[in-house]
Amino acid sequence: MRSDPTPPASPTALPGYAATGRIDELRASEYRHLDTEGQVYLDYAGAGVAAQAQVRAHHDRLLAGLYSNPHSENATSVAAGSLVESARRAVLDFFRADPDEYAVIFTPNASGACRLVGEAYDFGRAAPLVLTWDNHNSVNGIREYARSARASVRYLPLNGPELRFAESDLVAALDASRARRWGRPGRRGLFAYPAQSNFSGVQHPLGWVELAHQRGYDVLLDAAAFAPTNRLDLGVVRPDFVCLSWYKLFGYPTGVGALLARRSALARLRRPWFAGGTIRAVSVQGDWHRPMDDESAFEDGTLNFLSIPDVEFGLRWLDSIGVDLVHARVGLLTEWLLERLATLRHDTGGPLVQVYGPTTGAGRGGTVTFNLRHPDGTLVDERLVAREAATAGLSLRTGCFCNPGAAEGAFGLSRTSMRQRLLAGVDTIDQYLAALGLPTGGAVRVSFGLASIATDAERLVDFVQSTYLNRSAGAESPLPPRLRC
């Protein structure tokens, strides 16, 4: 954080910005389609953007060869299978993972990776689940598998306005659940948390992986929001499971994710079903099956063999630019934005912007979540912001971002207010918000990524200032009902 309390008029004046100039060169060439219609893309936490080189590589590969189902035994099948295996090796190389220690399982997305772990983990009374409040719903959903196995489920609550966790609380939660396993050797437990919150941008310590290991837990690390702009070195940090979506890292392909799993942890999973491609042999009359003994035991049906090779190209592309360079650029834009938003005040003296989570660049990623306030302090409806931002050409996200725990912490909701019996008879999201006494249904989220440049951040600040500063609450045109949260 700079000592100067007044941020410069443009991020380009920040020390170190010029050293990230290659991003501007790429924006003008490989990502020039972002600027053809005057749009501003600010939803990298939702999806990355593809370079033109990625699209060309996919096109050229499909026109230059013929590829078929890797489960067949012919030349086109072998060609497809070879590219899939090459992509596996590229994933391990990118994350500096030892192939003797880690396996790569291709999934439809990070959610599919989480489901694979949840459905196959050996939960039970002696194998609990510990979660942080700010997990994505795809991680929260694992609790249903744990509860069906009668395992205890314990959540670690958020602390303070920065929406972080106290390590002492984590130790207490892990130890409290571990106490149930005394006298039951061989049983473990699962601790699941995000390396970076997709709501607040908070980055949680990667050292928690080893802390949980020391207490007998396996660790699921949700890296979907972290990996696009941060280096994850699995030669240094060794979670048992890592969940990823490739489109979050580099925009293309969609529909392909991965579970990176330590082979020792993978061997302890027991799948509740089997599918084509996951078994070595099966009998209908004998009523038995034998699963494959490698990664393919977890890859249901035919893999997306025409898109998985694009993962390797995307990783090579990102590596050629440099994750550290992207990290530096995103950090500079995020810090500048936070400082500029903090300076915006109505003539009444009240702040225009309320940020949820860290208000500096320390210990956070390039995701900034906030609400806007009228001069009288009331919140601007996030649906109005979404509508007016779209009209102004800004692509951002509104809502609660599939992260209810972070939202509950940010909005100060109590456990009592969230009890299901108190919400009986509530059918719509708007009724739900009214029952909770919330003035709005979520927040506004903007996020930077691989192709972000200074003008993206500048146009956001200009939009917020010109549209909402000193604007009193009025009779707005009807807003659409909220459909989900």
Side-chain angles (χ1 to χ4, degrees):
M1 189 75 177
R2 298 177 307 106
S3 59
D4 182 2
T6 303
S10 170
T12 58
L14 291 172
Y17 190 90
T20 65
R22 186 168 181 228
I23 302 294
D24 300 299
E25 296 171 0
L26 289 168
R27 175 67 171 257
S29 56
E30 288 292 341
Y31 297 96
R32 60 182 181 272
H33 50 287
L34 294 180
D35 300 311
T36 55
E37 296 181 359
Q39 296 288 312
V40 179
Y41 188 73
L42 294 164
D43 192 23
Y44 286 86
V49 295
Q52 294 186 18
Q54 293 173 259
V55 179
R56 289 193 299 267
H58 177 83
H59 171 272
D60 292 347
R61 187 183 72 254
L62 293 188
L63 293 184
L66 182 60
Y67 307 98
S68 68
N69 192 323
H71 295 157
S72 300
E73 296 289 342
N74 57 57
T76 56
S77 171
V78 171
S82 176
L83 291 178
V84 169
E85 295 310 310
S86 181
R88 286 193 213 275
R89 293 190 295 272
V91 172
L92 293 172
D93 288 346
F94 183 84
F95 290 102
R96 301 173 182 173
D98 183 345
D100 291 331
E101 182 178 10
Y102 277 94
V104 176
I105 298 163
F106 287 113
T107 64
N109 42 43
S111 299
C114 293
R115 180 184 59 79
L116 278 179
V117 177
E119 71 178 11
Y121 196 83
D122 188 22
F123 290 114
R125 294 184 185 276
L129 173 65
V130 177
L131 303 147
T132 57
W133 265 24
D134 64 344
N135 274 306
H136 189 279
N137 273 338
S138 296
V139 179
N140 285 325
I142 294 174
R143 73 189 189 192
E144 302 305 308
Y145 292 112
R147 285 176 175 156
S148 68
R150 299 185 177 181
S152 70
V153 176
R154 186 179 295 269
Y155 271 100
L156 182 67
L158 290 160
N159 284 320
E162 288 210 347
L163 304 180
R164 299 187 188 274
F165 301 100
E167 188 168 296
S168 58
D169 289 342
L170 172 60
V171 170
L174 294 172
D175 287 348
S177 297
R178 184 179 63 170
R180 299 173 179 236
R181 307 205 303 276
W182 287 351
R184 302 186 187 188
R187 298 303 292 272
R188 300 177 66 87
L190 184 65
F191 171 48
Y193 78 104
Q196 177 176 311
S197 170
N198 78 310
F199 183 99
S200 65
V202 165
Q203 292 181 344
H204 302 302
L206 296 179
W208 286 357
V209 172
E210 181 57 26
L211 186 150
H213 282 165
Q214 292 171 356
R215 285 162 172 78
Y217 284 83
D218 294 315
V219 178
L220 183 149
L221 186 70
D222 178 5
F226 180 84
T229 59
N230 299 273
R231 172 64 67 184
L232 178 60
D233 188 336
L234 296 182
V236 176
V237 180
R238 292 182 168 86
D240 302 276
F241 307 103
V242 180
C243 302
L244 297 159
S245 285
W246 299 117
Y247 72 93
K248 296 287 183 74
L249 272 79
F250 34 73
Y252 185 83
T254 58
V256 182
L259 173 66
L260 278 65
R262 292 178 77 175
R263 295 185 184 277
S264 57
L266 200 61
R268 293 195 296 273
L269 300 184
R270 296 292 180 267
R271 300 203 67 188
W273 82 308
F274 62 87
T278 67
I279 50 174
R280 186 173 301 279
V282 61
S283 172
V284 172
Q285 296 183 83
D287 194 22
W288 58 266
H289 73 279
R290 177 169 295 180
M292 298 290 287
D293 56 6
D294 60 9
E295 299 90 329
S296 59
F298 295 86
E299 294 174 336
D300 300 330
T302 300
L303 288 172
N304 189 345
F305 59 90
L306 293 182
S307 291
I308 286 175
D310 297 312
V311 172
E312 178 171 1
F313 187 92
L315 290 171
R316 305 296 188 210
W317 176 256
L318 180 55
D319 214 23
S320 71
I321 298 168
V323 175
D324 293 338
L325 182 69
V326 176
H327 175 85
R329 166 60 64 91
V330 167
L332 289 166
L333 293 177
T334 303
E335 184 171 329
W336 181 87
L337 176 64
L338 288 166
E339 291 181 342
R340 287 288 289 124
L341 293 178
T343 67
L344 300 180
R345 290 188 169 271
H346 298 292
D347 289 345
T348 60
L352 171 59
V353 182
Q354 177 179 350
V355 172
Y356 300 109
T359 56
T360 73
R364 58 134 60 242
T367 296
V368 178
T369 295
F370 59 91
N371 266 318
L372 302 173
R373 291 192 177 275
H374 294 294
D376 63 1
T378 57
L379 293 180
V380 179
D381 194 301
E382 88 285 351
R383 293 171 297 176
L384 179 63
V385 178
R387 184 170 69 189
E388 294 182 337
T391 300
L394 275 66
S395 293
L396 44 73
R397 180 88 175 259
T398 58
C400 54
F401 326 123
C402 299
N403 197 322
E408 290 167 20
F411 304 147
L413 295 175
S414 68
R415 183 175 182 178
T416 300
S417 67
M418 300 302 298
R419 291 192 181 278
Q420 192 171 7
R421 62 182 175 81
L422 299 179
L423 301 175
V426 171
D427 294 321
T428 69
I429 293 296
D430 290 313
Q431 291 173 347
Y432 172 71
L433 297 174
L436 294 175
L438 287 177
T440 190
V444 180
R445 186 185 76 183
V446 298
S447 47
F448 300 113
L450 170 58
S452 293
I453 59 176
T455 54
D456 297 336
E458 292 166 3
R459 282 190 58 184
L460 171 67
V461 172
D462 289 345
F463 163 74
V464 170
Q465 184 170 358
S466 63
T467 308
Y468 301 103
L469 191 64
N470 296 317
R471 173 177 168 179
S472 298
E476 311 292 352
S477 58
L479 295 168
R482 298 177 178 92
L483 300 178
R484 67 181 68 187
C485 185

Short mmCIF file of all heavy atoms in Angstrom, two decimals, residues 69-121:
data_model
loop_
_atom_site.label_atom_id
_atom_site.label_comp_id
_atom_site.label_asym_id
_atom_site.label_seq_id
_atom_site.Cartn_x
_atom_site.Cartn_y
_atom_site.Cartn_z
N ASN A 69 -13.19 -41.06 -30.50
CA ASN A 69 -13.34 -41.50 -29.11
C ASN A 69 -12.07 -42.21 -28.63
O ASN A 69 -11.68 -43.23 -29.19
CB ASN A 69 -14.54 -42.44 -29.03
CG ASN A 69 -14.96 -42.71 -27.60
OD1 ASN A 69 -14.12 -42.82 -26.70
ND2 ASN A 69 -16.25 -42.84 -27.38
N PRO A 70 -11.44 -41.71 -27.57
CA PRO A 70 -10.21 -42.34 -27.09
C PRO A 70 -10.40 -43.76 -26.57
O PRO A 70 -9.42 -44.48 -26.38
CB PRO A 70 -9.75 -41.41 -25.96
CG PRO A 70 -10.41 -40.10 -26.24
CD PRO A 70 -11.73 -40.45 -26.86
N HIS A 71 -11.67 -44.17 -26.34
CA HIS A 71 -11.92 -45.53 -25.86
C HIS A 71 -11.85 -46.57 -26.98
O HIS A 71 -11.90 -47.76 -26.71
CB HIS A 71 -13.29 -45.61 -25.18
CG HIS A 71 -13.38 -44.78 -23.93
ND1 HIS A 71 -14.58 -44.33 -23.41
CD2 HIS A 71 -12.42 -44.33 -23.09
CE1 HIS A 71 -14.35 -43.64 -22.31
NE2 HIS A 71 -13.04 -43.63 -22.10
N SER A 72 -11.76 -46.10 -28.22
CA SER A 72 -11.64 -47.03 -29.34
C SER A 72 -10.18 -47.43 -29.54
O SER A 72 -9.28 -46.92 -28.88
CB SER A 72 -12.20 -46.39 -30.61
OG SER A 72 -13.57 -46.05 -30.46
N GLU A 73 -9.97 -48.37 -30.48
CA GLU A 73 -8.61 -48.82 -30.78
C GLU A 73 -8.36 -48.64 -32.27
O GLU A 73 -8.47 -49.57 -33.06
CB GLU A 73 -8.46 -50.31 -30.40
CG GLU A 73 -8.62 -50.59 -28.91
CD GLU A 73 -7.45 -50.07 -28.10
OE1 GLU A 73 -6.38 -49.82 -28.68
OE2 GLU A 73 -7.60 -49.94 -26.87
N ASN A 74 -8.06 -47.40 -32.65
CA ASN A 74 -7.73 -47.12 -34.04
C ASN A 74 -6.85 -45.87 -34.08
O ASN A 74 -6.60 -45.24 -33.05
CB ASN A 74 -9.00 -46.96 -34.90
CG ASN A 74 -9.92 -45.88 -34.37
OD1 ASN A 74 -9.51 -44.73 -34.22
ND2 ASN A 74 -11.17 -46.24 -34.08
N ALA A 75 -6.39 -45.52 -35.25
CA ALA A 75 -5.43 -44.43 -35.36
C ALA A 75 -6.00 -43.09 -34.89
O ALA A 75 -5.32 -42.31 -34.22
CB ALA A 75 -4.96 -44.30 -36.81
N THR A 76 -7.26 -42.82 -35.22
CA THR A 76 -7.85 -41.54 -34.80
C THR A 76 -8.09 -41.52 -33.29
O THR A 76 -7.99 -40.47 -32.66
CB THR A 76 -9.17 -41.29 -35.54
OG1 THR A 76 -10.07 -42.39 -35.33
CG2 THR A 76 -8.92 -41.13 -37.04
N SER A 77 -8.42 -42.68 -32.73
CA SER A 77 -8.57 -42.79 -31.27
C SER A 77 -7.25 -42.57 -30.57
O SER A 77 -7.16 -41.84 -29.57
CB SER A 77 -9.14 -44.17 -30.91
OG SER A 77 -9.10 -44.38 -29.52
N VAL A 78 -6.20 -43.20 -31.08
CA VAL A 78 -4.87 -43.02 -30.48
C VAL A 78 -4.43 -41.57 -30.56
O VAL A 78 -3.83 -41.03 -29.61
CB VAL A 78 -3.86 -43.94 -31.17
CG1 VAL A 78 -2.44 -43.62 -30.73
CG2 VAL A 78 -4.19 -45.41 -30.89
N ALA A 79 -4.74 -40.91 -31.66
CA ALA A 79 -4.37 -39.50 -31.82
C ALA A 79 -5.06 -38.64 -30.76
O ALA A 79 -4.44 -37.76 -30.15
CB ALA A 79 -4.74 -39.01 -33.22
N ALA A 80 -6.34 -38.89 -30.54
CA ALA A 80 -7.07 -38.14 -29.51
C ALA A 80 -6.54 -38.44 -28.12
O ALA A 80 -6.32 -37.53 -27.31
CB ALA A 80 -8.56 -38.45 -29.60
N GLY A 81 -6.32 -39.72 -27.84
CA GLY A 81 -5.82 -40.11 -26.53
C GLY A 81 -4.45 -39.53 -26.24
O GLY A 81 -4.16 -39.14 -25.10
N SER A 82 -3.62 -39.44 -27.26
CA SER A 82 -2.29 -38.87 -27.08
C SER A 82 -2.36 -37.40 -26.68
O SER A 82 -1.60 -36.94 -25.81
CB SER A 82 -1.49 -39.03 -28.37
OG SER A 82 -0.22 -38.42 -28.26
N LEU A 83 -3.28 -36.66 -27.29
CA LEU A 83 -3.43 -35.25 -26.95
C LEU A 83 -3.98 -35.08 -25.53
O LEU A 83 -3.59 -34.14 -24.82
CB LEU A 83 -4.34 -34.56 -27.96
CG LEU A 83 -3.77 -34.39 -29.37
CD1 LEU A 83 -4.80 -33.75 -30.28
CD2 LEU A 83 -2.49 -33.56 -29.34
N VAL A 84 -4.89 -35.95 -25.13
CA VAL A 84 -5.42 -35.88 -23.77
C VAL A 84 -4.31 -36.12 -22.75
O VAL A 84 -4.18 -35.40 -21.75
CB VAL A 84 -6.57 -36.90 -23.58
CG1 VAL A 84 -6.94 -37.03 -22.10
CG2 VAL A 84 -7.79 -36.47 -24.39
N GLU A 85 -3.49 -37.14 -22.98
CA GLU A 85 -2.41 -37.44 -22.04
C GLU A 85 -1.37 -36.33 -22.03
O GLU A 85 -0.77 -36.03 -20.98
CB GLU A 85 -1.77 -38.79 -22.39
CG GLU A 85 -2.71 -39.96 -22.23
CD GLU A 85 -3.42 -39.96 -20.87
OE1 GLU A 85 -2.71 -39.82 -19.84
OE2 GLU A 85 -4.66 -40.07 -20.84
N SER A 86 -1.14 -35.71 -23.17
CA SER A 86 -0.22 -34.58 -23.22
C SER A 86 -0.75 -33.42 -22.38
O SER A 86 0.00 -32.73 -21.68
CB SER A 86 0.00 -34.13 -24.66
OG SER A 86 0.89 -33.05 -24.73
N ALA A 87 -2.07 -33.22 -22.43
CA ALA A 87 -2.69 -32.16 -21.62
C ALA A 87 -2.54 -32.46 -20.13
O ALA A 87 -2.31 -31.55 -19.32
CB ALA A 87 -4.16 -32.00 -21.98
N ARG A 88 -2.67 -33.73 -19.74
CA ARG A 88 -2.47 -34.09 -18.33
C ARG A 88 -1.06 -33.70 -17.88
O ARG A 88 -0.87 -33.12 -16.80
CB ARG A 88 -2.64 -35.60 -18.13
CG ARG A 88 -4.02 -36.13 -18.17
CD ARG A 88 -4.03 -37.57 -17.63
NE ARG A 88 -5.03 -38.36 -18.30
CZ ARG A 88 -6.31 -38.39 -17.94
NH1 ARG A 88 -6.73 -37.66 -16.93
NH2 ARG A 88 -7.17 -39.16 -18.61
N ARG A 89 -0.07 -34.03 -18.70
CA ARG A 89 1.31 -33.69 -18.34
C ARG A 89 1.50 -32.18 -18.26
O ARG A 89 2.23 -31.68 -17.38
CB ARG A 89 2.27 -34.31 -19.35
CG ARG A 89 2.32 -35.83 -19.31
CD ARG A 89 3.46 -36.38 -20.15
NE ARG A 89 3.30 -36.10 -21.57
CZ ARG A 89 2.65 -36.89 -22.42
NH1 ARG A 89 2.09 -38.02 -21.97
NH2 ARG A 89 2.56 -36.58 -23.70
N ALA A 90 0.83 -31.45 -19.15
CA ALA A 90 0.96 -29.99 -19.13
C ALA A 90 0.37 -29.41 -17.85
O ALA A 90 0.91 -28.44 -17.29
CB ALA A 90 0.27 -29.39 -20.35
N VAL A 91 -0.73 -29.98 -17.38
CA VAL A 91 -1.33 -29.51 -16.13
C VAL A 91 -0.36 -29.72 -14.96
O VAL A 91 -0.14 -28.82 -14.14
CB VAL A 91 -2.66 -30.23 -15.86
CG1 VAL A 91 -3.19 -29.89 -14.47
CG2 VAL A 91 -3.70 -29.86 -16.93
N LEU A 92 0.21 -30.89 -14.88
CA LEU A 92 1.16 -31.18 -13.81
C LEU A 92 2.37 -30.25 -13.89
O LEU A 92 2.85 -29.74 -12.87
CB LEU A 92 1.61 -32.64 -13.89
CG LEU A 92 0.53 -33.69 -13.60
CD1 LEU A 92 1.05 -35.08 -13.92
CD2 LEU A 92 0.07 -33.61 -12.15
N ASP A 93 2.86 -30.01 -15.10
CA ASP A 93 4.00 -29.11 -15.27
C ASP A 93 3.66 -27.69 -14.81
O ASP A 93 4.46 -27.04 -14.13
CB ASP A 93 4.44 -29.06 -16.74
CG ASP A 93 5.13 -30.34 -17.19
OD1 ASP A 93 5.52 -31.14 -16.31
OD2 ASP A 93 5.26 -30.54 -18.42
N PHE A 94 2.48 -27.22 -15.18
CA PHE A 94 2.10 -25.84 -14.86
C PHE A 94 2.03 -25.63 -13.35
O PHE A 94 2.44 -24.58 -12.84
CB PHE A 94 0.75 -25.50 -15.50
CG PHE A 94 0.31 -24.09 -15.29
CD1 PHE A 94 0.77 -23.07 -16.12
CD2 PHE A 94 -0.57 -23.76 -14.27
CE1 PHE A 94 0.37 -21.76 -15.92
CE2 PHE A 94 -0.98 -22.45 -14.07
CZ PHE A 94 -0.51 -21.45 -14.90
N PHE A 95 1.50 -26.62 -12.65
CA PHE A 95 1.36 -26.49 -11.20
C PHE A 95 2.55 -27.10 -10.45
O PHE A 95 2.50 -27.24 -9.23
CB PHE A 95 0.05 -27.12 -10.74
CG PHE A 95 -1.17 -26.35 -11.17
CD1 PHE A 95 -1.94 -26.78 -12.24
CD2 PHE A 95 -1.52 -25.18 -10.53
CE1 PHE A 95 -3.05 -26.06 -12.65
CE2 PHE A 95 -2.63 -24.45 -10.92
CZ PHE A 95 -3.39 -24.89 -11.99
N ARG A 96 3.58 -27.45 -11.19
CA ARG A 96 4.82 -27.98 -10.60
C ARG A 96 4.53 -29.16 -9.68
O ARG A 96 5.08 -29.27 -8.57
CB ARG A 96 5.55 -26.87 -9.86
CG ARG A 96 5.91 -25.69 -10.77
CD ARG A 96 6.48 -24.51 -10.03
NE ARG A 96 6.75 -23.40 -10.95
CZ ARG A 96 7.13 -22.18 -10.56
NH1 ARG A 96 7.31 -21.93 -9.28
NH2 ARG A 96 7.36 -21.24 -11.46
N ALA A 97 3.67 -30.03 -10.15
CA ALA A 97 3.25 -31.19 -9.37
C ALA A 97 4.02 -32.43 -9.83
O ALA A 97 4.16 -32.67 -11.04
CB ALA A 97 1.75 -31.42 -9.54
N ASP A 98 4.47 -33.21 -8.89
CA ASP A 98 5.18 -34.45 -9.17
C ASP A 98 4.19 -35.48 -9.71
O ASP A 98 3.21 -35.81 -9.03
CB ASP A 98 5.82 -34.96 -7.88
CG ASP A 98 6.66 -36.21 -8.08
OD1 ASP A 98 6.54 -36.86 -9.13
OD2 ASP A 98 7.41 -36.56 -7.15
N PRO A 99 4.39 -36.00 -10.91
CA PRO A 99 3.44 -36.98 -11.46
C PRO A 99 3.36 -38.26 -10.66
O PRO A 99 2.38 -39.00 -10.78
CB PRO A 99 3.97 -37.23 -12.88
CG PRO A 99 5.40 -36.81 -12.86
CD PRO A 99 5.49 -35.69 -11.86
N ASP A 100 4.37 -38.57 -9.85
CA ASP A 100 4.29 -39.73 -8.98
C ASP A 100 3.41 -39.46 -7.77
O ASP A 100 2.94 -40.40 -7.12
CB ASP A 100 5.68 -40.14 -8.50
CG ASP A 100 6.54 -40.70 -9.63
OD1 ASP A 100 5.96 -41.28 -10.57
OD2 ASP A 100 7.78 -40.54 -9.57
N GLU A 101 3.18 -38.18 -7.47
CA GLU A 101 2.38 -37.82 -6.31
C GLU A 101 0.96 -37.39 -6.68
O GLU A 101 0.01 -37.67 -5.95
CB GLU A 101 3.06 -36.68 -5.53
CG GLU A 101 2.31 -36.28 -4.28
CD GLU A 101 3.02 -35.19 -3.49
OE1 GLU A 101 4.00 -34.62 -4.01
OE2 GLU A 101 2.59 -34.91 -2.35
N TYR A 102 0.82 -36.70 -7.84
CA TYR A 102 -0.48 -36.14 -8.22
C TYR A 102 -1.00 -36.76 -9.51
O TYR A 102 -0.24 -37.09 -10.42
CB TYR A 102 -0.38 -34.62 -8.42
CG TYR A 102 -0.48 -33.84 -7.12
CD1 TYR A 102 0.66 -33.48 -6.43
CD2 TYR A 102 -1.72 -33.47 -6.60
CE1 TYR A 102 0.59 -32.77 -5.24
CE2 TYR A 102 -1.81 -32.76 -5.42
CZ TYR A 102 -0.66 -32.40 -4.74
OH TYR A 102 -0.75 -31.71 -3.56
N ALA A 103 -2.33 -36.87 -9.57
CA ALA A 103 -3.04 -37.30 -10.77
C ALA A 103 -3.94 -36.17 -11.24
O ALA A 103 -4.42 -35.37 -10.42
CB ALA A 103 -3.86 -38.55 -10.49
N VAL A 104 -4.20 -36.11 -12.54
CA VAL A 104 -5.10 -35.11 -13.13
C VAL A 104 -6.33 -35.83 -13.66
O VAL A 104 -6.23 -36.72 -14.51
CB VAL A 104 -4.41 -34.35 -14.27
CG1 VAL A 104 -5.39 -33.38 -14.93
CG2 VAL A 104 -3.19 -33.62 -13.75
N ILE A 105 -7.48 -35.45 -13.15
CA ILE A 105 -8.77 -36.00 -13.60
C ILE A 105 -9.53 -34.89 -14.28
O ILE A 105 -9.81 -33.85 -13.67
CB ILE A 105 -9.57 -36.55 -12.40
CG1 ILE A 105 -8.81 -37.69 -11.74
CG2 ILE A 105 -10.96 -37.00 -12.84
CD1 ILE A 105 -9.31 -38.02 -10.35
N PHE A 106 -9.87 -35.06 -15.54
CA PHE A 106 -10.63 -34.04 -16.25
C PHE A 106 -12.11 -34.16 -15.91
O PHE A 106 -12.67 -35.27 -15.88
CB PHE A 106 -10.40 -34.13 -17.75
CG PHE A 106 -9.04 -33.66 -18.17
CD1 PHE A 106 -8.09 -34.55 -18.68
CD2 PHE A 106 -8.68 -32.33 -18.03
CE1 PHE A 106 -6.83 -34.11 -19.06
CE2 PHE A 106 -7.42 -31.88 -18.41
CZ PHE A 106 -6.49 -32.77 -18.91
N THR A 107 -12.72 -33.03 -15.64
CA THR A 107 -14.12 -32.95 -15.23
C THR A 107 -14.82 -31.89 -16.09
O THR A 107 -14.17 -31.16 -16.83
CB THR A 107 -14.23 -32.55 -13.75
OG1 THR A 107 -13.69 -31.21 -13.60
CG2 THR A 107 -13.46 -33.51 -12.85
N PRO A 108 -16.14 -31.74 -15.97
CA PRO A 108 -16.81 -30.67 -16.72
C PRO A 108 -16.45 -29.28 -16.22
O PRO A 108 -16.51 -28.31 -16.96
CB PRO A 108 -18.30 -30.97 -16.51
CG PRO A 108 -18.36 -32.41 -16.15
CD PRO A 108 -17.11 -32.68 -15.38
N ASN A 109 -16.09 -29.15 -14.93
CA ASN A 109 -15.79 -27.85 -14.32
C ASN A 109 -15.32 -28.09 -12.89
O ASN A 109 -15.22 -29.25 -12.45
CB ASN A 109 -17.04 -26.94 -14.33
CG ASN A 109 -18.30 -27.70 -13.95
OD1 ASN A 109 -18.30 -28.51 -13.02
ND2 ASN A 109 -19.38 -27.46 -14.67
N ALA A 110 -15.07 -27.00 -12.16
CA ALA A 110 -14.65 -27.14 -10.76
C ALA A 110 -15.75 -27.76 -9.91
O ALA A 110 -15.47 -28.52 -8.98
CB ALA A 110 -14.25 -25.78 -10.20
N SER A 111 -17.00 -27.45 -10.22
CA SER A 111 -18.11 -28.04 -9.48
C SER A 111 -18.12 -29.56 -9.62
O SER A 111 -18.36 -30.28 -8.65
CB SER A 111 -19.45 -27.47 -9.98
OG SER A 111 -19.50 -26.07 -9.78
N GLY A 112 -17.85 -30.04 -10.83
CA GLY A 112 -17.78 -31.48 -11.04
C GLY A 112 -16.64 -32.11 -10.26
O GLY A 112 -16.76 -33.24 -9.76
N ALA A 113 -15.54 -31.39 -10.13
CA ALA A 113 -14.42 -31.89 -9.34
C ALA A 113 -14.80 -32.00 -7.87
O ALA A 113 -14.47 -32.99 -7.20
CB ALA A 113 -13.21 -30.97 -9.51
N CYS A 114 -15.50 -30.99 -7.36
CA CYS A 114 -15.95 -31.04 -5.96
C CYS A 114 -16.91 -32.21 -5.74
O CYS A 114 -16.84 -32.90 -4.71
CB CYS A 114 -16.65 -29.72 -5.60
SG CYS A 114 -15.57 -28.28 -5.57
N ARG A 115 -17.80 -32.43 -6.69
CA ARG A 115 -18.76 -33.53 -6.54
C ARG A 115 -18.06 -34.87 -6.50
O ARG A 115 -18.44 -35.76 -5.72
CB ARG A 115 -19.78 -33.49 -7.68
CG ARG A 115 -20.81 -34.62 -7.61
CD ARG A 115 -21.73 -34.60 -8.81
NE ARG A 115 -21.00 -34.75 -10.05
CZ ARG A 115 -20.55 -35.90 -10.53
NH1 ARG A 115 -20.72 -37.02 -9.83
NH2 ARG A 115 -19.91 -35.95 -11.68
N LEU A 116 -17.03 -35.05 -7.34
CA LEU A 116 -16.30 -36.32 -7.32
C LEU A 116 -15.76 -36.63 -5.93
O LEU A 116 -15.84 -37.76 -5.46
CB LEU A 116 -15.14 -36.26 -8.32
CG LEU A 116 -15.45 -36.52 -9.79
CD1 LEU A 116 -14.17 -36.39 -10.61
CD2 LEU A 116 -16.06 -37.90 -9.99
N VAL A 117 -15.19 -35.62 -5.27
CA VAL A 117 -14.65 -35.83 -3.93
C VAL A 117 -15.78 -36.09 -2.95
O VAL A 117 -15.73 -37.03 -2.15
CB VAL A 117 -13.81 -34.63 -3.49
CG1 VAL A 117 -13.31 -34.82 -2.05
CG2 VAL A 117 -12.63 -34.42 -4.43
N GLY A 118 -16.81 -35.27 -3.01
CA GLY A 118 -17.90 -35.39 -2.05
C GLY A 118 -18.59 -36.74 -2.09
O GLY A 118 -18.86 -37.34 -1.04
N GLU A 119 -18.88 -37.23 -3.28
CA GLU A 119 -19.64 -38.46 -3.39
C GLU A 119 -18.82 -39.69 -3.02
O GLU A 119 -19.38 -40.73 -2.66
CB GLU A 119 -20.19 -38.63 -4.81
CG GLU A 119 -19.12 -38.94 -5.86
CD GLU A 119 -19.69 -39.15 -7.25
OE1 GLU A 119 -20.89 -38.87 -7.45
OE2 GLU A 119 -18.93 -39.61 -8.13
N ALA A 120 -17.49 -39.59 -3.12
CA ALA A 120 -16.64 -40.77 -2.93
C ALA A 120 -15.84 -40.74 -1.63
O ALA A 120 -15.17 -41.73 -1.31
CB ALA A 120 -15.68 -40.91 -4.12
N TYR A 121 -15.90 -39.62 -0.89
CA TYR A 121 -15.10 -39.53 0.33
C TYR A 121 -15.71 -40.41 1.42
O TYR A 121 -16.93 -40.53 1.54
CB TYR A 121 -14.99 -38.08 0.81
CG TYR A 121 -13.90 -37.90 1.83
CD1 TYR A 121 -12.58 -37.72 1.42
CD2 TYR A 121 -14.17 -37.94 3.19
CE1 TYR A 121 -11.56 -37.57 2.34
CE2 TYR A 121 -13.16 -37.80 4.12
CZ TYR A 121 -11.85 -37.62 3.69
OH TYR A 121 -10.85 -37.49 4.61
#
